[in-house]
Amino acid sequence: MNDSNPNSDTPDAVRRNILKISGLTAAAVGLASVSGLPAFAQFDDWDKVFPKSDAVDHQKVRFTNRYGIALVGDLYMPANRGEGTLPALAVAGPFGAVKEQSAGLYAQTMAERGFITLAFDPSFVGESGGEVRSVASPDINTEDFSAAIDCLGLRPEVDRERIGVIGICGFAGMALNAVAADKRVKAVATTSMYDMSRVMARGYYDAMTEEQRMTAMQQMSEQRWADAEGDTAALAGGLPDTLDGVTDPVVQMYFDYYKTPRGYHERSVNSNAGWTVTNGLSFMNMPLLTYIAEVSPRPMLLIAGSEAHSLYFTEDAYAAAAEPKELMIIDGADHVDLYDQVDIIPFDRLQSFFEEHMSA
């Protein structure tokens, strides 16, 4: 299924458009199923989509956010870390992913470079708590970052005066929102940023009409009746099981990560049945980046690919932010390249950025 006119104002087209946005970040077409997927090799009891590093110690941690929701994360520490305290980073994203995917790769790699890192599942996703499942909240998921800061700062190995944040994709916008309010964070970096409130409220490239917006909210509001009457919340559906007949390059790009051995994970929202149908409601009138200027005077590093369909989110966030700020465009990279392509992700710059701005 491929909408030839994504801005058509017919009811079915509007519903598809909003489900594409709220159901799977970009374009979710068709109901997801894991049937027929190949078996994925694991590394002994290692449940990540990337190889385990011998230079890093790993352990599972549990902590609770301000709303009492129990969160689960993977803590990565340099194996040869000595006796002193180290700087630390909280890492989350992409929107609809789990800590065993991109966030874990970032966390492990930055641990190899001398940081203690925590990749965590946000509320309602993965191994973290919260009911109903597969739902997101601009408020609660922003709080999840601060809860991760709590967790890191209570560890004896961590210098709580040197804690930073990395947000990926849709959780990049929530990372910036968290850092604007949480003054304990010393520096923040994002990659392939999405402003989830903007894309759900206005559509891609702000192309959603007012009529489409009202229709989408009406349909999601009506869906609440069905959810309230049933035992479970309806799911919007995720990526298709195959790319047969799919010509949308964004769908193809996400499929190549979430639905193949490259990035598939059994607990990932995007690898499976997607978000709840009503997921977009809480984002549509709650702008995440209203106070982005209040990240200052803490520095931010915003990274995006030159070929990413999402590039405009990063560019607009950079324009709205106050100094000190840095915009880094990776030539030739698309949105998903910055999820896991270690030869493209600028880890050298991430390391030097946090070392510079979180020095002892």
Side-chain angles (χ1 to χ4, degrees):
M1 179 170 60
N2 182 44
D3 297 333
S4 59
N5 180 7
N7 297 316
S8 168
D9 59 2
T10 65
D12 286 345
V14 172
R15 182 178 184 276
R16 289 195 301 269
N17 210 29
I18 196 64
L19 292 188
K20 287 177 182 179
I21 295 166
S22 65
L24 178 71
T25 304
V29 289
L31 294 176
S33 168
V34 296
S35 61
L37 285 171
F40 298 100
Q42 301 294 344
F43 303 90
D44 298 322
D45 59 347
W46 186 252
D47 61 352
K48 325 304 178 194
V49 302
F50 51 89
K52 189 177 189 298
S53 171
D54 293 334
V56 172
D57 292 333
H58 163 267
Q59 68 182 81
K60 193 90 72 176
V61 296
R62 289 169 172 80
F63 54 102
T64 303
N65 71 13
R66 189 165 56 89
Y67 297 108
I69 299 172
L71 304 179
V72 177
D74 286 312
L75 187 76
Y76 298 87
M77 297 188 288
N80 299 318
R81 55 187 175 273
E83 297 298 325
T85 58
L86 293 175
L89 300 168
V91 188
F95 190 77
V98 287
K99 63 188 181 303
E100 291 78 14
Q101 296 172 309
S102 182
L105 173 64
Y106 272 71
Q108 179 175 260
T109 304
M110 295 305 288
E112 290 176 324
R113 292 165 178 259
F115 299 85
I116 293 174
T117 60
L118 175 59
F120 63 91
D121 284 333
S123 298
F124 315 109
V125 168
E127 293 184 307
S128 287
E131 295 289 344
V132 171
R133 306 303 294 169
S134 299
V135 69
S137 162
D139 180 21
I140 296 173
N141 294 149
T142 292
E143 156 61 21
D144 290 341
F145 274 102
S146 288
I149 301 302
D150 296 341
C151 177
L152 286 168
L154 293 177
R155 297 196 64 88
E157 308 93 341
V158 170
D159 181 350
R160 66 166 59 175
E161 298 303 317
R162 293 190 289 162
I163 299 179
V165 164
I166 297 176
I168 307 163
C169 184
F171 272 82
M174 285 180 266
L176 293 173
N177 196 42
V179 175
D182 194 330
K183 303 306 181 183
R184 300 173 298 174
V185 180
K186 297 302 187 289
V188 57
T190 69
T191 58
S192 293
M193 193 197 83
Y194 258 68
D195 178 345
M196 295 309 304
S197 55
R198 178 179 175 183
V199 74
M200 290 190 188
R202 306 181 196 171
Y204 286 102
Y205 307 103
D206 303 328
M208 185 184 293
T209 67
E210 185 66 17
E211 183 177 357
Q212 288 174 328
R213 173 180 164 83
M214 292 300 107
T215 298
M217 286 196 291
Q218 179 67 37
Q219 291 180 341
M220 284 188 284
S221 297
E222 293 294 331
Q223 181 63 42
R224 291 185 63 113
W225 288 124
D227 289 351
E229 290 167 351
D231 294 330
T232 59
L235 296 177
L239 288 162
D241 289 325
T242 75
L243 288 178
D244 293 346
V246 176
T247 59
D248 186 330
V250 176
V251 177
Q252 294 170 344
M253 176 192 67
Y254 281 120
F255 182 98
D256 189 51
Y257 181 76
Y258 286 110
K259 299 291 280 188
T260 72
R262 172 186 172 189
Y264 175 85
H265 197 278
E266 62 184 3
R267 289 192 293 270
S268 170
V269 174
N270 290 351
S271 288
N272 296 288
W275 297 97
T276 63
V277 173
T278 60
N279 194 48
L281 278 173
S282 60
F283 288 87
M284 293 185 77
N285 62 352
M286 196 176 294
L288 278 166
L289 298 183
T290 300
Y291 298 103
I292 188 174
E294 294 183 5
V295 172
S296 178
R298 283 84 48 78
M300 71 171 66
L301 170 63
L302 306 179
I303 303 167
S306 66
E307 306 310 304
H309 67 283
S310 57
L311 175 58
Y312 70 102
F313 291 122
T314 294
E315 292 176 328
D316 289 355
Y318 177 79
E323 296 286 353
K325 59 184 178 180
E326 177 183 344
L327 177 64
M328 186 175 188
I329 305 300
I330 308 302
D331 189 45
D334 68 22
H335 180 87
V336 171
D337 284 336
L338 297 180
Y339 284 9
D340 67 339
Q341 301 301 294
V342 295
D343 57 333
I344 294 176
I345 300 167
F347 283 117
D348 287 345
R349 181 59 191 129
L350 284 166
Q351 178 182 348
S352 63
F353 170 77
F354 285 112
E355 287 177 343
E356 175 186 355
H357 297 294
M358 300 199 308
S359 58

